[in-house]
Amino acid sequence: MRPSSSTSEPPSGGLFDGVLARGPVREAVADRAWLRAMLDVEAALARAEARAGLFPVEAAEAIARACRDDALDLAALGRDASASGNPVVPLVRAITAAVDDATAAGEVHRGATSQDILDTAAMLVARRALGSLLEDLDAASDAAAALADAHRGTLIAGRTLLQHAVPTTFGLKAAGWMAGLDQAAIRLDQVRRTRLAVQLGGAAGTLASLGDRGPAVVRHLAEDLGLTEPVQPWHTDRTRVAELAGALGGTAGASAKPAQDVVLLSQTEVAEVWEGVAGRGGSSTLPHKRNPIAAVSALACARQAPGLVATLLSAMVQEHERAAGAWHAEWRPLTDLLRTVGSAAAWLRDCLEHLEVDPVRMRANLERSGGLVLAERVAAALAPALGRLAAHDIVERASARSAIESRPFAQVLADAPEVRANLTAEDLAALFDPAGYLGSADVFVDRALRAHEARRGTAAG
Amino acid sequence: MRPSSSTSEPPSGGLFDGVLARGPVREAVADRAWLRAMLDVEAALARAEARAGLFPVEAAEAIARACRDDALDLAALGRDASASGNPVVPLVRAITAAVDDATAAGEVHRGATSQDILDTAAMLVARRALGSLLEDLDAASDAAAALADAHRGTLIAGRTLLQHAVPTTFGLKAAGWMAGLDQAAIRLDQVRRTRLAVQLGGAAGTLASLGDRGPAVVRHLAEDLGLTEPVQPWHTDRTRVAELAGALGGTAGASAKPAQDVVLLSQTEVAEVWEGVAGRGGSSTLPHKRNPIAAVSALACARQAPGLVATLLSAMVQEHERAAGAWHAEWRPLTDLLRTVGSAAAWLRDCLEHLEVDPVRMRANLERSGGLVLAERVAAALAPALGRLAAHDIVERASARSAIESRPFAQVLADAPEVRANLTAEDLAALFDPAGYLGSADVFVDRALRAHEARRGTAAG
Amino acid sequence: MRPSSSTSEPPSGGLFDGVLARGPVREAVADRAWLRAMLDVEAALARAEARAGLFPVEAAEAIARACRDDALDLAALGRDASASGNPVVPLVRAITAAVDDATAAGEVHRGATSQDILDTAAMLVARRALGSLLEDLDAASDAAAALADAHRGTLIAGRTLLQHAVPTTFGLKAAGWMAGLDQAAIRLDQVRRTRLAVQLGGAAGTLASLGDRGPAVVRHLAEDLGLTEPVQPWHTDRTRVAELAGALGGTAGASAKPAQDVVLLSQTEVAEVWEGVAGRGGSSTLPHKRNPIAAVSALACARQAPGLVATLLSAMVQEHERAAGAWHAEWRPLTDLLRTVGSAAAWLRDCLEHLEVDPVRMRANLERSGGLVLAERVAAALAPALGRLAAHDIVERASARSAIESRPFAQVLADAPEVRANLTAEDLAALFDPAGYLGSADVFVDRALRAHEARRGTAAG
Amino acid sequence: MRPSSSTSEPPSGGLFDGVLARGPVREAVADRAWLRAMLDVEAALARAEARAGLFPVEAAEAIARACRDDALDLAALGRDASASGNPVVPLVRAITAAVDDATAAGEVHRGATSQDILDTAAMLVARRALGSLLEDLDAASDAAAALADAHRGTLIAGRTLLQHAVPTTFGLKAAGWMAGLDQAAIRLDQVRRTRLAVQLGGAAGTLASLGDRGPAVVRHLAEDLGLTEPVQPWHTDRTRVAELAGALGGTAGASAKPAQDVVLLSQTEVAEVWEGVAGRGGSSTLPHKRNPIAAVSALACARQAPGLVATLLSAMVQEHERAAGAWHAEWRPLTDLLRTVGSAAAWLRDCLEHLEVDPVRMRANLERSGGLVLAERVAAALAPALGRLAAHDIVERASARSAIESRPFAQVLADAPEVRANLTAEDLAALFDPAGYLGSADVFVDRALRAHEARRGTAAG
């Protein structure tokens, strides 16, 4: 369910939104969407209270009608918020004025405090935004899964500390991306399903002005809005917000990891992948450039998350029954966190769905180090005959000589007497075939894909 | 299971540890405990590889014997780490030298990369630390539960933005503390049970040097250490670390919230609670001071968490198969985060277990505002006769006059003609009885306690 | 100098802006202001290049005319930014299309890279925003100075760990606020005057396409825009941004400190100050509440700064000649940081300029602890006769007894034989006069005010 | 001036210190150094008070003697700190017990509060640590300067978004590193010289127990310790700490930037530089690896700074005269921040002082893109004849064809009829010479080196 405003007024968007607010989350957390959510809460509250017998259903309907009207002047509400410290006070005034029934007007916002409305609206905004975000995240993960499956046999240099280490497959690399994205999605979905709860406590969490109907109203409200019913009001128990923030922070990191790899694999000297979106990534001054815009933008968005998570965690120290500042300090970081992580997911999806892979170049790069990536294997093959230490030394010397003489490591090694004494040319050829030194890469890809499919309810193509 | 070193050598402790590293987590994350965990991993790895048939069980036993010896020079390992970028390289050298069997010596650390050992050790350290941390957290939550139960009828001013708002009970306040602590514990425990996994991938995640035995070794290793078996190596998928960090960050906030309330309730002007630990909280220069040391220290510890969480989230962007810096950037923040949150939980437990409560002072403070905390109630009582708006205005005027004339609000209001016309003296007396305006406070306390007991498997006293 | 757009189109403002984006900085960092700054840079660049002889002045004038036109569709630029990764590419296209002279059109954006324009625009935006921010900060500091001067003799309890400690004056407290604000302003102004520099380097910092005219163009550009001329391009040297961020972070903290004190002093039980703005701080449901909205909002804004500073510092790791993501990650945090700190300063100014102080209540609160705040003094007076330790013990025992017996400390102490033996009733009366135990409070206020006046170029009223 | 303890007891060091606590700062911020600083402050305080006439010089000398003894049990002090909330209370007790003169014993810590001692000690610790840190930072900057000077003619690909853009020189790249380091050092030094001040205010900032001697004692204390004399006590004005934190955060970023570049330039596929330290960077399992350990470790250290800065900025909100938690929350982050930034600087110095550069490989990489890095230049050369747009199109088409046909861009372009019509073969050869397209690279290097030399007071070699 998207905010209804999305159809009536196309959002204008900001100067940096094309880069920093990609995808549907931008709109789902826009001020208009917040306002829509607040109106939804006030309307649902009236219905819940009528259902609990506090006033006639007709009054609730009148209130809901007034809340359906979103011709409200958002900027004016924002401005008037400065007198009371939040936008709910002017909103309630505006709704009350719009109710066409005097009795009903008196029941608007009955028993609620501003924070009840804003917190519940925040939960609605989060639920709607997470829906969109998870769609993009799942699509990114599916794209990674497809790459993992298609490239389970594509050799690539395994790189540690950005140095060639041993061979691996591009499939296993993509499976690693997928696993991170899947786990982020699992956690986000968990938070979405179990931790987004209605807030309703009145001024200090007792719901005193609702007499004994408080719990019933909370239950009806939760049912109406499709949010969790809390055990008790949670005005200054911010563990819900913290879990949401933590899950979003983890998603940012999980999205940035593949983006960083794509940027590195796209380097001019590496050139193993590129983003295949026509007409994007060009430069006004450099006619030849093809920048990995999607990966770069995903990184740019994801990098803004940790600081926002820290702000939200810091804001958990909320005084007594309702806080003096820390609560207000949540509104924007939560909005910004949802937006920037949503944008990261949208960019990453774009990146992975359009990723072009060059297996020939991957193989060529792998071989450029002249067999060095198989040094570990050759040392292991020599160990039984020479002892582990001696074997390691021979290989290390050959590696050094290879660098000094600018000759391929495999050749230098083949010339070493201890090697010739123990390994035939065929042995060596086999040892230097990277395809034979992939260990459990394929098993891991299989297991990872099965886990992905189990989560996504799909069978591999 | 505590690190064995704890019995043999009493940890000395640092200058600030009495305040900033309280409780058992300090020792569980000390360098000695990290070293113990690394040795445990190397020993278990040897056993797992022997079980997978890579070498005889006797070799594994010889290796495990060498790992049992923790007469290792920790500082020397730390120093030598600078040559390779981590302490595992010198550690492997030291273990190998200590193995009393030449064949076995060649099998030390077989197929593993340094990160395998350190990451798995980190998971062990985390599991052990979380055990202690959860004990303190649960004890703090139990103490809050006991307060909630004992004080369900203790009236106190509900305070919003640090101003008196409406009455509530100290029991409901304590139930709110308990709920936050319980949720933090639930999440931490979830992470502990499901997200702490073995790491084993070799140089680039393929376990190539173990041939086809890689997955079996991983499975045996996980069983041996009591950690989760991962679907695949996770060298640069740091979602596990992120979830751990997020859960710890949430725990910090949940621990700081009651601590902040205790500090505020302990103020000289409020004086509703104090920490009842003899001989603590004094001042060298001010003989009369009794500072809420436990609450202050809990706050001090908890406040250090959000920045550390941000560091760990930022470090998720790890390049290719193993990262160039971001992984190394995790070690200390993870250790510090466990320690500081463990310390916050230990201090909060201490604070809540010794909290002295003064219900008489709570009631006196509540009444000091001369009935103003019941203004909402009186307005509601007048509304049917006068209309909501008029009722609100009368109450507001009385409130203002009460401030100007320095007369109790209840008296000023009683003098207003509209009030006298509609409410008898008994009506007013009843309206101004805060015990009658607690709404669902008691219901919420009950529900919260039932949820707590269900989690803790206990019945209320 | 305000962005010209401010007159032509009244900014609409967001839902939370009344609370979280108070004061002039909001507008100075709005998207429209960024766009205006980019246009200013492109126009100034053309003028600088013409002045350096790269093309006729008439061409520069034609370009500047095209840049004066801000009928540009900001949202469309933002949208089109997604193809190139920043909004400068579509902006240059739009300017070029608007130039009414074919030759001149070919010279738009000559030799510059997108980052040159955006970075220089960021510096302009920062300079304009800092101008407004410093005005509010200075006004807040002046208000604190006025309070310090007016209340140099107003006694108040000195509170440590929120407990009464010894007497102090409200003047000294306000002088402390002032000192923090002044220092923040000094540092911000330093950054504004010396660290906001032109960026111009072309694709990779060599300005190759300008031949040998690069340095001249940079110099002219700096003069034209009133920014510092850098020694060399600084595309990936982000120390400027870091210093700006650090100064803003410090300003946030310096603004939050007095706001926190006002919130605490406004507590119902303390009630020593309140915000005297009519019609603000009311509650829809609680007719009697007068919340310190300005202080609370200042805190809410300031609390969002540290996380943003961390994001900007993390983004300093920028690759090679121009970064892949970290640079893009600066735009929004920098904007948000300026806005939130600007808002904190504006709220604090409002708070301090309207702060009402109740010296009678301050004195009453000070005396409520029955002389305990002078315990240190009495102990010192007894020390010569009894020895320091014995004196401390007597005072401590009296303090404990005072609590148990609920009698004023001064009375309990007066009854102690050792006290009676050494101090007369007059001695005791003098010792228990808080006005006589203020040490150097007045000297410090004087020194602080002189320093403030020296900075502000004013003499105290 | 190093802490004297460094000679008497060799610091043991932790398990991760070889990587994460390199260089002299580790020791300068160790617990032992903190203790030494606290003793220095207590001794200097006694001397200052004697000088101000509060007690005989002999008493001060007796106290100073007791403070010279650092046989204090640090761990016991730390443990006992938990009773009072800081280690100063047990320290004062220990000093008092060690004073061999009863009168003098009564004057220990006269008039000071615990925070006075700890804050002043923190300033001493910071000053000593910054001295070491600046040495390493300056050495790193000098090394960068030497590289800039030596390689002003060494061609290298200018890389934007990690793609080849236009040619530049390695000298200009190194000059950019140097500029960032220099600016960080300038700011750190500024803070060190002007913002590290004595703290002395007594319980609540009035120095009441010193009568009218307070200001004189502060002045003498500042002179004795070589710290700045503050205008007034600054217990809860934390702008000093914030500026220190900000400067350290900026230094971390400035140190990480070159480290990141070195890691990228060291990649197997790029291989333009390597760290030339024998016996370092090897791998236990991969005999051929030569990891850029120093750069990786510098990054690991620097990445931990932003979160710590955020913690310190968050802790600026300190209540009333002395804070309840936020102050205590500074001790460890400040220590850790100094250590991790000191370590980053030490590693970077090591990295840059041993950096081996391969100009041949730089040139080869530059040429590998077949002239594409000069596309901008060729387009500009064609523009006068063909018009800017047409020229850009031709170059873009040639670039695309070059990729499709796998032919060097220069060749493809030379075949285009419009090119042949307008440029001779010599023209083209000249255009494709990267050495001719360096713009102001050399000028910028010169200016940067002159600025560096001016700061460092040296002439280039």
Side-chain angles (χ1 to χ4, degrees), chain B residues 219-276:
Chain B
R219 192 171 59 249
H220 299 328
L221 184 60
E223 277 174 28
D224 189 319
L225 294 171
L227 295 170
T228 298
E229 180 193 356
V231 169
Q232 80 218 80
W234 46 278
H235 289 141
T236 49
D237 163 16
R238 309 309 285 178
T239 45
R240 282 179 174 81
V241 178
E243 290 190 43
L244 177 55
L248 287 165
T251 303
S255 303
K257 153 66 184 161
Q260 182 68 71
D261 281 358
V262 167
V263 167
L264 291 169
L265 295 173
S266 302
Q267 289 174 101
T268 305
E269 287 86 356
V270 180
E272 298 180 357
V273 305
W274 66 94
E275 295 185 353

Side-chain angles (χ1 to χ4, degrees), chain A residues 331-344:
Chain A
W331 308 336
R332 220 193 276 267
L334 181 59
T335 302
D336 290 348
L337 183 58
L338 285 163
R339 189 198 302 107
T340 207
V341 179
S343 184

